[in-house]
Amino acid sequence: MTPKQVFTAILIFFGYLFVSDSIFVVNQQQQALVLQFRDVVRTIHDPGLNFKIPFFQTIAYFDKRVLPLEAPEQEAILADQKRLVVDAFARYRITDPLKFFQRLNNERVANDQLGILVNSSMRQILGTLSMTDVLSEQRAKIMVAIRDEMNDKAKSADYGVEIVDVRIRSANLPDETSQAIFARMISERKREAAEFRAKGQELSQEIKAKAEREKTVLLAEAQRKAESRRGEGDQEALRIVAQATGKDAQFYNFYRSLQAYRETMANKDTSIILSPDSDFFRYFGKVLTK
């Protein structure tokens, strides 16, 4: 290779470095700052092809998208002095890359600082609420209030970010508090069970006593009706007998004889020895003769 060719190659190499370090692209998901010795000389919000002074200026890219922010679990004290372990997360967007770079520099530092804001805002809002409020349908309003509180603090700190959303992933009682509450719940349930059992026994006794009273009344009423019906039957029988006696004396004698047979022979253990010619069996004799 001749010296001229070597010189040309060196020129092409440095020309490539010059051009490649002068051109940069900001895509649709990014925004950028042009830095010169750590001083911001230009802010780029729109996507496209851009130029800078090579070797003297550098580019800092920042995401335009909504970014996640995980907050560590924290314990908050509610307005009714009950403690609650809250697990929450937030999402934010970089709205001003210049302020973001000046105040927070990068996303790692931003996550640390914004995590502190999440914790302080959450404790501040939850400190004004009771356990009933946290467990009620107001939970969505509580998260909005925490988000607004975070936005106010981020704006005051001039972080150049907007808090898009704050969500409470879970809110649980501390372990020692949960154990105490469970023990109290068990004791309360046992007390209620004993109370229900006692009321049930009392009600059972009342029902049985009422049933016994009704049974006695019904039996007495049935006995009274039976005696009444029996009296009516006897009266009707006497009337029929009297009527039959008046019409046919022989039939009356026959009927009375049948009654005597039935009453005498009702007891199987009783033995009666009589002559077949006795007057007691005169109707049997007539039947056999016929």
Side-chain angles (χ1 to χ4, degrees):
M1 182 179 292
T2 62
K4 184 178 180 180
Q5 290 175 329
V6 172
F7 181 73
T8 302
I10 292 174
L11 285 179
I12 292 173
F13 176 73
F14 281 104
Y16 171 77
L17 291 179
F18 183 84
V19 173
S20 63
D21 199 53
S22 301
I23 300 173
F24 65 94
V25 176
V26 178
N27 63 40
Q28 293 181 344
Q29 299 175 352
Q30 292 176 325
Q31 48 194 341
L33 294 178
V34 179
L35 306 176
Q36 184 171 328
F37 304 113
R38 299 295 299 174
D39 293 331
V40 179
V41 296
R42 188 155 49 105
T43 303
I44 301 173
H45 295 284
D46 299 324
L49 183 64
N50 295 271
F51 299 93
K52 69 179 182 64
I53 299 174
F55 310 121
F56 291 97
Q57 293 182 342
T58 57
I59 307 300
Y61 295 97
F62 299 95
D63 212 318
K64 272 186 175 179
R65 296 172 296 182
V66 175
L67 301 174
L69 172 63
E70 290 290 338
E73 283 189 353
Q74 59 174 321
E75 187 172 296
I77 300 176
L78 304 180
D80 51 7
Q81 300 303 311
K82 293 179 180 176
R83 295 184 301 166
L84 204 62
V85 177
V86 182
D87 181 14
F89 68 93
R91 293 184 297 174
Y92 70 99
R93 179 188 293 115
I94 300 172
T95 55
D96 190 332
L98 176 58
K99 293 180 180 178
F100 183 84
F101 177 75
Q102 291 173 339
R103 300 293 183 183
L104 300 173
N105 191 261
N106 55 52
E107 292 184 10
R108 184 183 58 80
V109 177
N111 286 339
D112 293 339
Q113 294 299 320
L114 294 177
I116 295 174
L117 290 188
V118 173
N119 293 340
S120 63
S121 300
M122 193 170 297
R123 282 198 297 268
Q124 183 174 346
I125 297 299
L126 293 179
T128 63
L129 303 171
S130 65
M131 178 68 77
T132 305
D133 297 330
V134 175
L135 299 178
S136 68
E137 296 178 352
Q138 299 182 26
R139 190 162 177 166
K141 294 181 180 178
I142 294 172
M143 290 186 287
V144 172
I146 296 172
R147 183 201 63 188
D148 294 343
E149 181 67 23
M150 275 193 69
N151 266 324
D152 292 340
K153 291 180 177 178
K155 189 178 294 182
S156 299
D158 215 11
Y159 284 156
V161 299
E162 177 193 8
I163 307 302
V164 178
D165 194 13
V166 175
R167 294 287 175 182
I168 297 176
R169 185 181 289 115
S170 64
N172 302 314
L173 295 170
D175 291 341
E176 61 273 17
T177 305
S178 299
Q179 294 299 327
I181 290 177
F182 289 153
R184 188 165 63 249
M185 290 173 64
I186 292 172
S187 176
E188 182 67 17
R189 295 298 178 270
K190 287 183 177 178
R191 186 191 63 77
E192 292 179 355
E195 185 176 339
F196 283 129
R197 194 176 295 111
K199 289 182 178 179
Q201 291 177 352
E202 181 181 355
L203 184 60
S204 172
Q205 294 297 328
E206 291 180 358
I207 293 174
K208 288 181 179 178
K210 183 179 178 181
E212 287 294 331
R213 287 196 302 271
E214 292 179 349
K215 173 186 174 183
T216 302
V217 171
L218 290 175
L219 288 176
E221 181 66 17
Q223 187 68 25
R224 186 188 65 77
K225 290 183 178 178
E227 293 295 337
S228 177
R229 295 288 187 275
R230 188 177 294 110
E232 292 175 359
D234 292 342
Q235 186 178 1
E236 181 66 14
L238 290 174
R239 187 187 66 77
I240 294 172
V241 170
Q243 185 178 5
T245 304
K247 292 183 178 180
D248 189 343
Q250 187 177 1
F251 173 75
Y252 175 73
N253 293 330
F254 174 70
Y255 175 75
R256 293 294 299 170
S257 297
L258 291 181
Q259 283 186 326
Y261 296 155
R262 183 177 61 189
E263 294 174 359
T264 303
M265 300 178 182
N267 191 349
K268 298 180 179 178
D269 297 331
T270 301
S271 298
I272 301 175
I273 300 175
L274 295 174
S275 172
D277 300 333
S278 66
D279 188 54
F280 187 74
F281 292 125
R282 65 180 181 277
Y283 288 103
F284 280 105
K286 292 179 180 178
V287 171
L288 292 174
T289 303
K290 291 179 181 180

